[in-house]
Amino acid sequence: MPERTAASRLRLSGLCFLLQILNILLFAVFVRYSPESSPGQCPPQLNCSWRNQDSGFQQPRFQDVHIQVLLSFGLVVTFLSRYGPGNVAISILIIAFAIQWAVLIQGFFYSFLNGKIYVAAQSMVSADFCTAAVLISTGAVLGRTNPVQLLLLALLEVTLCTLNEYILLSLMGVSDSGRSLTVHTFGAYFGLMVSRVLYQPDKDKRKRKERQHMGHQTDVFAVVGTIYLWIFWPSFTSATTVHDNAKNWAVLNTYFSLVASTIATFILSPVLYEESTPRMVQIQDATLAGMAVMGMAGDMLVTPFGALIAGFLVGLISPLGFRFFMPVLHSRLKIQDTCGVHNVHGLPGILGALLGTLLTLTATADTFGDRLELVFPLVAPGSRTVTDQALIQLGALPLTLLLAMLGGCLTGAVLKTKALRCSSDEQYTENTVFWEV
């Protein structure tokens, strides 16, 4: 046992060392600060048209998104009584690595000019979005993977998530400011496919037993996580909006959606479960679902009552998914979804994409006004019709699902190699190696 413990620690330490050295070397060769906003300080050979986008990304906005990723997502993974504290620690490790790797990979796609990657506040916000997708995926395999596997998952998923985002947002011109597709849907189904490949039937009963023994500490973490979701998620939804006067719809629609989804949980949970009132973990899930459904449609003309309807519906679908569809995932599809990311992120992300597609058909100069150019820059000048844009928005959904599932299968196959996985009997011990539980 001491030999196995030492080997596990050294394996994680060695991988962290190699990945960090790799990041440092790549940053030294490629990464530079972006030119200042003054035109005179921009080298004439450099295309600086992109840099004006960074003027709207000020420190408070990045701070809100970063707090949202670090605290809210970190506290979501604490519900397993045995693994809670250790999972928070590993989440911080994943965030620390994924942000660096995302800056590099996204830089090669978006801001690789004259052999260099130019980074600014926008780069950090985009990296946080990609990191959020990784954290969503880890929720599907929580308690069944060791830190080494999770780091490698982050390495592969950041690359594939950035590729999906580049195809959708840059090549296809999809409007997905709050990331219903590129974060929620991609992260959920990527993680579910990894979970399917890593399926181990002997651990299924253990996970269900863990869920039944959620204690007071778990509820405390869920309270804190839910509060942070309410405070910072509207900034998360509107963080990619360059102009401040265009983010009002995203903030308002997100708030209306989350309040309605929370009310729906109080309506449905006592009907589905024996408890008279929902647990804080269920309220936390409803909050996440209500915000995920507004990812694509947040800055569109949802209208306040439309946001309330969308949030209320997804607030009903999420607990129904936990009650009825999750057992089907376990028994029929052999997918062990530890945190229920399919009900919290996957289904709401798909519904958000469908809602965004429907609202695209209403995008005219009369309904959107000056916002039309900000939300649909190709529709406003007449380069693309509203119908064409709606079809592209709709086509982005199956493409995202395809890339997420193929990427999840590939990543799962890598993580399943004998050198990386733990035996069933060693799984509990593996967690005590890195954190006192």
Side-chain angles (χ1 to χ4, degrees):
M1 182 67 69
E3 291 79 6
R4 277 205 301 260
T5 299
S8 297
R9 289 175 177 169
L10 290 176
R11 184 170 53 178
L12 177 62
S13 177
L15 181 61
C16 289
F17 176 78
L18 291 176
L19 292 178
Q20 188 58 43
I21 292 298
L22 175 63
N23 280 331
I24 291 173
L25 292 176
L26 291 175
F27 267 73
V29 174
F30 295 108
V31 178
R32 300 292 184 270
Y33 291 121
S34 65
E36 297 293 332
S37 57
S38 173
Q41 298 189 16
C42 180
Q45 71 275 15
L46 181 64
N47 179 13
C48 296
S49 60
W50 56 271
R51 66 182 180 173
N52 295 327
Q53 297 177 4
D54 198 59
S55 60
F57 288 84
Q58 301 175 1
Q59 173 65 19
R61 190 177 298 186
F62 162 69
Q63 179 177 287
D64 288 353
V65 174
H66 195 60
I67 291 175
Q68 170 70 29
V69 171
L70 185 64
L71 283 177
S72 298
F73 277 103
L75 292 173
V76 163
V77 301
T78 60
F79 74 91
L80 292 177
S81 59
R82 182 183 293 271
Y83 298 145
N87 284 330
V88 176
I90 299 304
S91 294
I92 295 174
L93 172 63
I94 293 171
I95 292 169
F97 166 72
I99 286 178
Q100 298 177 72
W101 190 242
V103 168
L104 285 167
I105 300 300
Q106 291 179 340
F108 284 117
F109 278 97
Y110 293 105
S111 57
F112 189 67
L113 304 171
N114 295 335
K116 301 296 179 184
I117 296 172
Y118 292 90
V119 299
Q122 181 185 5
S123 306
M124 298 304 297
V125 172
S126 298
D128 272 330
F129 272 106
C130 192
T131 302
V134 176
L135 292 175
I136 290 171
S137 298
T138 60
V141 296
L142 206 61
R144 296 180 288 112
T145 48
N146 57 54
V148 171
Q149 290 175 308
L150 292 179
L151 274 177
L152 293 176
L153 182 147
L155 177 73
L156 296 172
E157 184 173 0
V158 165
T159 306
L160 295 170
C161 180
T162 303
L163 174 63
N164 178 68
E165 181 183 286
Y166 181 75
I167 293 174
L168 264 60
L169 304 187
S170 296
L171 300 184
M172 297 176 61
V174 174
S175 176
D176 188 23
S177 62
R179 303 299 196 262
S180 278
L181 286 175
T182 56
V183 171
H184 296 284
T185 304
F186 185 91
Y189 289 97
F190 186 98
L192 290 172
M193 291 310 297
V194 173
S195 179
R196 175 63 183 88
V197 176
L198 297 179
Y199 176 72
Q200 293 173 291
D202 53 332
K203 292 181 184 178
D204 192 24
K205 294 181 180 179
R206 287 182 176 179
K207 292 295 149 283
R208 293 181 182 179
K209 187 176 180 181
E210 283 282 334
R211 270 193 173 271
Q212 293 172 358
H213 289 83
M214 296 185 299
H216 174 71
Q217 183 182 10
T218 300
D219 284 333
V220 171
F221 277 124
V223 169
V224 178
T226 305
I227 291 174
Y228 274 105
L229 286 171
W230 275 67
I231 295 174
F232 292 108
W233 196 282
S235 296
F236 187 91
T237 304
S238 62
T240 58
T241 304
V242 175
H243 301 281
D244 288 336
N245 61 352
K247 70 178 183 180
N248 297 334
W249 283 2
V251 173
L252 292 172
N253 290 332
T254 302
Y255 266 115
F256 289 136
S257 178
L258 76 89
V259 297
S261 64
T262 303
I263 294 295
T265 300
F266 279 88
I267 295 173
L268 197 57
S269 291
V271 177
L272 298 177
Y273 303 97
E274 296 179 358
E275 296 91 344
S276 58
T277 56
R279 297 183 64 93
M280 277 306 304
V281 172
Q282 295 169 338
I283 299 173
Q284 185 182 51
D285 292 340
T287 304
L288 280 166
M291 295 169 178
V293 77
M294 280 295 116
M296 179 183 288
D299 57 358
M300 300 181 188
L301 189 61
V302 183
T303 69
F305 78 89
L308 288 173
I309 293 174
F312 184 76
L313 290 177
V314 81
L316 296 176
I317 291 173
S318 179
L320 286 172
F322 275 105
R323 183 66 176 83
F324 298 108
F325 196 71
M326 183 173 280
V328 176
L329 286 179
H330 287 155
S331 60
R332 300 290 180 87
L333 302 180
K334 309 302 181 184
I335 296 176
Q336 297 164 310
D337 185 5
T338 309
C339 289
V341 297
H342 180 260
N343 309 303
V344 177
H345 299 280
L347 287 177
I350 291 176
L351 293 174
L354 295 177
L355 177 61
T357 300
L358 180 63
L359 292 172
T360 302
L361 296 173
T362 68
T364 63
D366 294 335
T367 56
F368 276 62
D370 295 338
R371 297 174 186 263
L372 182 63
E373 185 177 358
L374 302 176
V375 181
F376 299 109
L378 295 178
V379 173
S383 302
R384 182 180 291 174
T385 65
V386 172
T387 303
D388 290 340
Q389 182 67 42
L391 291 175
I392 289 174
Q393 298 282 130
L394 182 61
L397 175 58
L399 178 59
T400 297
L401 292 174
L402 177 63
L403 290 174
M405 291 180 179
L406 291 178
C409 289
L410 173 64
T411 303
V414 173
L415 302 186
K416 199 175 182 179
T417 56
K418 188 175 181 180
L420 296 175
R421 67 179 184 223
C422 301
S423 69
S424 180
D425 294 335
E426 293 173 347
Q427 188 62 40
Y428 284 145
T429 305
E430 187 76 21
N431 284 270
T432 64
V433 170
F434 308 101
W435 195 267
E436 183 176 349
V437 294

